[in-house]
Amino acid sequence: MIDTRLTKHIQNIASSKAVAWCIAHPFLATIAYVALVSAFFLAFPQTDLWVSGLFYSQTDGFWAQHNPFLQKVRHLGPYLVQTIAICSVAILVIKLLLPGRPPIVPLRKPVFLISTLILGPGILVNSILKDNWGRPRPRSIEEFGGELPFQPVWKMTDYCERNCSFTSGEGAAGIWLVTMAFLVPASWRKAVLAFVLPLCLILSINRVAFGGHFFSDTMLSWGLTFLVILSVYWLLYLKKPPLMTDQGLDEWFTRNGRRLRRLAKRLLVRLRQALRGSGSAQSES
């Protein structure tokens, strides 16, 4: 009994130290995560087939994709991402159109959200990896009723031309929702993560169940996208001096918003003059 308690106590201490180290060194921890996941799936590629096989049957194929509830779950992720992105853009546009008023929220927040979404799920995952690595999706390979051979992670092939399996766009979008935890007050972060992280897992596994991605695709998307998030956060908030400041963004949008209003007024005056000239010409004729 004493030995068991001592072992558990040591394990708890080791676990706490590991978590504390990851929190203190997020870049290194995330790089280590990507390296370990890559090494594991390269050493044991059959793991991908085994996980996908849990959701496949010879008669129904990937049966989860026919479930109406799971189909709605799939659309939940893009809906949340689009809603956050639209709200972020709207905040910047409102500040540009109403330059004399203070912004709804500090402007680095919408800039952080938009830039991480574009650079992570947008450019890195969907434009660079998915369109160039050529990994066939599970439902397209021979083991699951398709015609193409299975390909391991990080292997560039020409079996798929664009929008391929490696890596997962849904997995990237799911982990991108973690950006909200970077921006809320510290007292809210655990609550946000308690909602976002399980949701990310559900959205990602849902795509594996549909035969749209391998499990390795989703796990690597999490790590790669999180690296982008950490990098942008460092540039905007931790770097000394930061790449941008709330005051600097406020001044930039105020200055350019006023220029835009002056330009709009000049265009409106010219339009009125053109309409008057057109009206005078018609009356004379």
Side-chain angles (χ1 to χ4, degrees):
M1 178 67 70
I2 295 177
D3 290 341
T4 302
R5 290 179 178 176
L6 180 60
T7 301
K8 289 183 178 179
H9 181 64
I10 293 173
Q11 290 175 344
N12 290 335
I13 292 175
S15 176
S16 298
K17 287 185 176 180
V19 172
W21 184 87
C22 290
I23 293 174
H25 306 87
F27 277 104
L28 292 177
T30 307
I31 292 171
Y33 166 85
V34 172
L36 289 173
V37 170
S38 299
F40 175 83
F41 281 99
L42 286 171
F44 306 101
Q46 296 299 313
T47 305
D48 267 333
L49 296 175
W50 178 77
V51 174
S52 294
L54 297 175
F55 305 99
Y56 178 81
S57 72
Q58 294 291 338
T59 55
D60 300 322
F62 286 98
W63 43 266
Q65 63 183 329
H66 306 299
N67 186 293
F69 173 74
L70 294 179
Q71 290 175 354
K72 292 180 181 179
V73 170
R74 184 196 172 184
H75 296 298
L76 175 61
Y79 174 77
L80 290 175
V81 171
Q82 290 171 8
T83 300
I84 296 172
I86 290 172
C87 291
S88 299
V89 172
I91 290 171
L92 298 178
V93 171
I94 290 172
K95 174 58 184 176
L96 199 60
L97 296 178
L98 301 173
R101 296 188 178 184
I104 299 173
V105 298
L107 295 181
R108 268 190 302 183
K109 291 186 176 183
V111 169
F112 173 67
L113 293 171
I114 295 169
S115 59
T116 50
L117 180 60
I118 292 173
L119 294 173
I123 295 177
L124 177 60
V125 171
N126 283 289
S127 295
I128 296 177
L129 295 175
K130 288 171 66 68
D131 284 352
N132 291 285
W133 251 254
R135 189 184 199 189
R137 296 178 184 272
R139 57 173 173 257
S140 301
I141 66 173
E142 297 166 343
E143 287 83 352
F144 301 121
E147 300 178 350
L148 301 175
F150 168 75
Q151 301 297 315
V153 295
W154 293 114
K155 182 179 179 180
M156 296 186 72
T157 74
D158 57 359
Y159 289 111
C160 174
E161 293 184 1
R162 60 182 302 274
N163 195 27
C164 306
S165 187
F166 184 79
T167 58
S168 169
E170 281 82 358
I175 202 68
W176 176 79
L177 295 173
V178 173
T179 53
M180 302 303 297
F182 283 78
L183 302 180
V184 298
S187 58
W188 295 9
R189 286 173 188 163
K190 289 184 179 180
V192 171
L193 290 174
F195 172 76
V196 170
L197 290 178
L199 178 61
C200 172
L201 181 62
I202 291 170
L203 295 173
S204 300
I205 295 297
N206 199 44
R207 291 298 289 143
V208 176
F210 279 27
H213 287 288
F214 293 103
F215 191 40
S216 59
D217 296 328
T218 63
M219 293 188 71
L220 287 171
S221 264
W222 297 340
L224 295 172
T225 304
F226 196 64
L227 275 176
V228 172
I229 292 171
L230 289 174
S231 299
V232 176
Y233 187 78
W234 180 80
L235 286 171
L236 292 180
Y237 289 95
L238 302 180
K239 181 177 178 288
K240 301 297 182 183
L243 184 64
M244 301 176 185
T245 64
D246 293 322
Q247 181 179 353
L249 284 169
D250 193 343
E251 292 173 354
W252 188 91
F253 274 87
T254 299
R255 183 169 60 252
N256 286 279
R258 287 171 177 167
R259 288 176 179 173
L260 184 63
R261 292 181 69 174
R262 289 194 296 268
L263 177 62
K265 287 181 180 180
R266 285 197 290 266
L267 291 175
L268 185 59
V269 169
R270 291 181 181 179
L271 178 60
R272 287 175 178 174
Q273 291 174 346
L275 290 175
R276 288 174 182 172
S278 175
S280 300
Q282 290 179 359
S283 63
E284 290 177 359
S285 61

